[in-house]
Amino acid sequence: FWLPMEYSVHTLYFSVHNFYTILMKFYEKIKEICNKYNKVALFVDMDGTIVEYKVYPEGFVTYESKELFIEAEPVKIIIDKLEELNKINNLEVYILSLSKSNIIKEEKLKWLKKYIPFIKEENYIIPIRENGDYDSDNRKYIKSEKMKEKLNVYDYVILLDDEHKILKTTQKELKDKGEVFHISSALI
């Protein structure tokens, strides 16, 4: 099957245009929330949300392999939208990402400084499994707990994540004090 070049370019244009239109819808939804509430916090996951997600075997990450995370590709289109959202006066953007080890946390911090310099370092929240910050029993609750801790400062909290269990748990835990978005809301 062959498509004329003009048709392919035309189709590509509309695909890219539609992609940006839907991203704008996500942006507009966040703006609507910010118009409704005085102080809003947006918590953004890293792995699979703003950074390429790679699956490694259990126990793979060691001191010798620690440079792998820093070389992971940023999801630029989402990062660009976050930078735009970060300019909304009553919205504070946080990074909320789980880390299995101190090595991975170090790499995540380096990656954030390299690709997301517009988010303040004090807005990085990275619980570490190795340090007992979370375990397999409370893994799906830890993000909602961290977000609820901020409800004394913010009227409303939002989570952008790629993991369904975490999103469902967070929505249930936050009730009417927050909202969750799967990364596909900002990608499709």
Side-chain angles (χ1 to χ4, degrees):
F1 185 76
W2 177 82
L3 288 174
M5 184 61 180
E6 308 82 48
Y7 182 79
S8 299
V9 171
H10 181 75
T11 303
L12 178 62
Y13 168 77
F14 280 105
S15 295
V16 169
H17 176 75
N18 288 341
F19 182 72
Y20 282 106
T21 301
I22 290 168
L23 273 175
M24 189 53 91
K25 288 179 184 176
F26 172 74
Y27 178 78
E28 293 302 320
K29 178 67 176 163
I30 300 302
K31 278 178 53 177
E32 277 179 30
I33 291 168
C34 291
N35 287 336
K36 187 176 177 181
Y37 297 94
N38 291 325
K39 291 185 80 178
V40 180
L42 171 62
F43 295 85
V44 181
D45 176 50
M46 288 183 71
D47 309 283
T49 303
I50 59 171
V51 64
E52 172 191 23
Y53 184 77
K54 291 188 177 184
V55 178
Y56 296 106
E58 192 67 35
F60 180 78
V61 179
T62 64
Y63 186 76
E64 291 77 33
S65 63
K66 75 176 196 168
E67 295 299 317
L68 292 173
F69 192 91
I70 194 74
E71 294 173 11
E73 290 293 319
V75 181
K76 182 119 175 67
I77 192 122
I78 299 299
I79 293 169
D80 290 346
K81 283 297 162 200
L82 288 177
E83 191 165 13
E84 254 182 82
L85 288 169
N86 197 51
K87 294 174 185 173
I88 297 173
N89 288 335
N90 64 329
L91 178 71
E92 190 77 26
V93 181
Y94 286 83
I95 297 297
L96 178 54
S97 183
L98 304 180
S99 178
K100 290 182 181 178
S101 70
N102 288 302
I103 293 170
I104 296 172
K105 181 181 180 179
E106 288 173 29
E107 291 299 299
K108 286 185 175 194
L109 293 173
K110 288 179 192 174
W111 191 94
L112 286 166
K113 289 174 188 172
K114 181 176 180 180
Y115 293 108
I116 319 276
F118 56 89
I119 297 178
K120 300 179 280 190
E121 283 185 55
E122 59 263 23
N123 288 6
Y124 301 164
I125 303 169
I126 306 177
I128 306 167
R129 183 178 186 161
E130 179 178 86
N131 294 353
D133 296 340
Y134 73 95
D135 58 34
S136 58
D137 293 332
N138 72 348
R139 185 182 186 285
K140 67 181 184 178
Y141 293 98
I142 191 67
K143 287 187 179 182
S144 63
E145 289 173 10
K146 295 294 180 186
M147 292 171 71
K148 286 194 300 190
E149 289 173 7
K150 297 290 185 179
L151 282 172
N152 63 337
V153 178
Y154 299 99
D155 304 317
Y156 202 77
V157 292
I158 304 165
L159 176 63
L160 179 63
D161 205 309
D162 65 324
E163 203 168 317
H164 293 273
K165 286 182 183 179
I166 289 174
L167 289 166
K168 287 178 182 178
T169 301
T170 302
Q171 186 66 67
K172 183 180 173 185
E173 292 290 311
L174 293 176
K175 297 179 174 97
D176 63 342
K177 297 288 187 185
E179 197 161 339
V180 300
F181 291 91
H182 187 270
I183 186 60
S184 62
S185 299
L187 283 176
I188 297 175

